Amino acid sequence: GAGEGTVRTRCTCSRTHPSAEGRTRGGSRHPTNNDPTRATPRDVGHNSVGPHRGEGPEQGEVASGGPPRTQGGLESHGSSKERTSGNLSQDSNVDGHQDRRHRDGYPRRPVTRASSRLSHVPLVSESELSKPKPRAAVKRKRMADKSTSTSDPVTEDDHVQVLTLKSKNLVGITLTNCGITDLVLKDCSKMMFIHATRCRVLKHLRVESAPIVNRFDYAQCKKLNMEQVLDQILRMPPERNRIIYMRPMQQVDSLALERKIFCGPYPYHICIIHEFSNPPNVRNKVRVRSWMDTIANINQELIKYEFFPEATRTEEDVKSYPNYPWGRDIYTIEGVVDSAPYSMITDFPWLRSLRTAEPNSYARYDFEDDESTTIYAPRRKGQLSADICMETIGEEISERRQTRRGVFQRVVAIFIHYCDVRGEPVEDDYI
């Protein structure tokens, strides 16, 4: 009928101004089933939000005897448009819910999101919904795409551990099973040797100031970057002769290594010795320390007292010799020591003549070494000093002077032992 969907609202002023209608509605605590003012929960859900269609004095009909405040509030209930769009209609609905809760004798469940889904009136006004809310800017951290789990089958880089040495009194350092990746010689004016054995993650060497260090031993350091270490040593100022002993645990491209070293800007005479004895034989390693100094002493005597030209090795010199033999007099010596072969490639001057010379009156035979058991045995030849050697190689000195080929004052010997290149360390009493 015409009364469907209407909402009957009880005036709150009925307590102060009783009327017939107020007494009838307020006094009946238990209305009958035929009472039209009682609303079921379904009626509440529909009637509280629908538009007012009925007409007549029952809609918003109020006694005129109420106070002005009550009359003003009820006048807003009398207008159907204001009930639909204004906030006063929401207040009347709330009052209606409160009245129904008290009329039924037990508390009603408050309006929640679940029950308001059926409602056509949004919980938030449409004007607020239409406004785009500014999104709070969240600063995200930059995450590195690296695996950190020990269960992932991803090879992770070794954690960088740098050992920096700075001492005026330190004369040497021995590293055994040490977990550093980088060794830095910052200011070590008296350091003379570096020994590193079985350092699993040792990779790099950086020399800033260590002018007199002359012995380097790297044995069974699995991840050592040989080219980087050799480059750092050979770039040191030529103030000392230097010997470098290496036992790599990976395959070495000897031809590429020789090319890189001999064509580089390194102001030394260089020899590279490839030792293949297994188990390792240290005879060549020990003997090379004596005769490499003999070669350097001859060169220094010639430069200082014989006005022999001194060789240079700058970047410009390197550019002038882009191809083999890269401006050097390179030759190879091969042999067998204790049934194991060795090979040496070098540009040491004078060595070939000294090896093939006849023993002189100063020869010592109390040593078993000779050219059949080692690369060069100067004591068996009687070549005990630079002056004696210069008498033996006088002709070669004259030929080199005429061709104006200079010599370096210092030499470097690189001794590479190949007994561990398969990746498994060989037991050695000398390490």
Side-chain angles (χ1 to χ4, degrees):
E4 283 185 7
T6 61
V7 176
R8 298 176 181 242
T9 308
R10 183 170 61 88
C11 179
T12 58
C13 64
S14 61
R15 298 177 182 177
T16 56
H17 297 276
S19 62
E21 183 180 280
R23 284 192 302 270
T24 304
R25 295 177 182 176
S28 178
R29 289 288 182 180
H30 301 282
T32 62
N33 293 336
N34 295 330
D35 188 358
T37 61
R38 182 178 179 180
T40 63
R42 182 180 300 273
D43 297 331
V44 172
H46 289 283
N47 296 341
S48 63
V49 298
H52 293 265
R53 298 178 182 176
E55 294 180 0
E58 290 184 356
Q59 299 183 20
E61 183 178 353
V62 185
S64 61
R69 179 179 60 84
T70 306
Q71 291 180 5
L74 293 175
E75 286 176 2
S76 63
H77 287 271
S79 175
S80 63
K81 292 183 180 179
E82 291 180 1
R83 276 198 302 268
T84 305
S85 60
N87 292 332
L88 291 175
S89 65
Q90 297 179 8
D91 296 339
S92 64
N93 291 337
V94 173
D95 292 340
H97 286 301
Q98 293 177 351
D99 292 56
R100 293 186 189 96
R101 180 181 62 186
H102 292 292
R103 279 199 309 269
D104 295 343
Y106 55 91
R108 290 300 184 110
R109 181 181 177 183
V111 177
T112 60
R113 289 182 181 273
S115 61
S116 64
R117 273 190 311 180
L118 302 176
S119 173
H120 297 289
V121 178
L123 296 178
V124 183
S125 63
E126 295 182 0
S127 60
E128 293 182 4
L129 289 175
S130 61
K131 294 179 182 179
K133 293 184 178 180
R135 189 171 184 178
V138 179
K139 187 176 181 181
R140 296 185 178 180
K141 295 181 179 179
R142 297 178 63 88
M143 303 295 290
D145 187 15
K146 289 185 177 180
S147 174
T148 56
S149 173
T150 55
S151 63
D152 291 341
V154 179
T155 303
E156 300 178 7
D157 293 335
D158 297 310
H159 183 63
V160 177
Q161 296 280 1
V162 181
L163 175 60
T164 302
L165 301 178
K166 182 178 180 181
S167 172
K168 294 183 178 180
N169 300 317
L170 189 64
V171 296
I173 181 172
T174 299
L175 305 171
T176 304
N177 297 320
C178 189
I180 65 170
T181 58
D182 297 71
L183 177 62
V184 180
L185 306 182
K186 192 173 183 66
D187 186 7
C188 303
S189 58
K190 294 184 179 180
M191 178 171 283
M192 299 179 64
F193 67 88
I194 296 175
H195 294 167
T197 305
R198 293 185 291 272
C199 296
R200 185 181 61 84
V201 295
L202 181 60
K203 300 177 183 179
H204 305 119
L205 169 69
R206 188 167 83 246
V207 181
E208 295 183 7
S209 178
I212 67 173
V213 60
N214 56 79
R215 299 195 307 275
F216 302 85
D217 281 25
Y218 289 92
Q220 299 176 350
C221 298
K222 195 168 187 178
K223 296 186 178 182
L224 186 70
N225 188 335
M226 284 184 57
E227 292 187 359
Q228 190 274 336
V229 172
L230 292 173
D231 178 74
Q232 280 289 302
I233 298 172
L234 292 169
R235 287 183 181 275
M236 296 172 62
E239 299 182 16
R240 291 290 189 278
N241 302 322
R242 312 189 195 278
I243 180 170
I244 308 165
Y245 177 72
M246 291 189 168
R247 279 178 60 170
M249 296 189 68
Q250 67 273 1
Q251 296 294 329
V252 178
D253 188 345
S254 58
L255 292 178
L257 183 64
E258 292 168 358
R259 184 185 308 111
K260 182 177 179 61
I261 290 175
F262 282 113
C263 72
Y266 309 128
Y268 299 91
H269 286 297
I270 301 172
C271 76
I272 303 176
I273 303 168
H274 304 285
E275 174 74 54
F276 298 97
S277 61
N278 191 0
N281 187 331
V282 297
R283 193 189 305 271
N284 280 333
K285 173 189 174 183
V286 172
R287 298 292 178 262
V288 73
R289 294 181 179 177
S290 61
W291 54 260
M292 62 180 287
D293 288 335
T294 301
I295 302 297
N297 291 338
I298 295 172
N299 294 349
Q300 293 170 21
E301 288 286 333
L302 291 173
I303 292 172
K304 291 180 180 178
Y305 304 110
E306 301 292 336
F307 305 104
F308 206 85
E310 183 176 2
T312 59
R313 196 70 178 177
T314 63
E315 294 291 346
E316 295 298 327
D317 296 327
V318 172
K319 294 178 182 178
S320 302
Y321 304 104
N323 301 317
Y324 180 88
W326 306 290
R328 298 176 180 266
D329 184 15
I330 296 176
Y331 58 93
T332 301
I333 297 176
E334 296 179 345
V336 177
V337 175
D338 292 342
S339 303
Y342 70 86
S343 174
M344 181 178 74
I345 179 170
T346 181
D347 68 337
F348 276 16
W350 333 123
L351 183 57
R352 283 174 294 185
S353 300
L354 293 173
R355 287 183 75 249
T356 58
E358 293 294 328
N360 57 31
S361 58
Y362 302 100
R364 303 280 298 272
Y365 295 97
D366 54 346
F367 291 92
E368 62 178 353
D369 291 346
D370 58 16
E371 279 72 21
S372 64
T373 57
T374 187
I375 297 174
Y376 171 41
R379 287 180 177 269
R380 293 292 294 264
K381 301 289 186 180
Q383 300 162 356
L384 305 180
S385 67
D387 293 335
I388 297 174
C389 291
M390 288 172 65
E391 295 176 2
T392 306
I393 58 174
E395 292 184 5
E396 187 177 355
I397 292 174
S398 299
E399 293 177 1
R400 194 171 184 109
R401 186 192 298 272
Q402 291 177 2
T403 57
R404 303 187 65 81
R405 288 180 297 165
V407 293
F408 296 106
Q409 292 196 45
R410 302 295 180 182
V411 299
V412 170
I414 302 171
F415 197 99
I416 305 176
H417 217 136
Y418 289 84
C419 56
D420 299 325
V421 293
R422 294 183 178 180
E424 293 295 330
V426 176
E427 292 297 329
D428 184 6
D429 295 335
Y430 298 99
I431 291 183

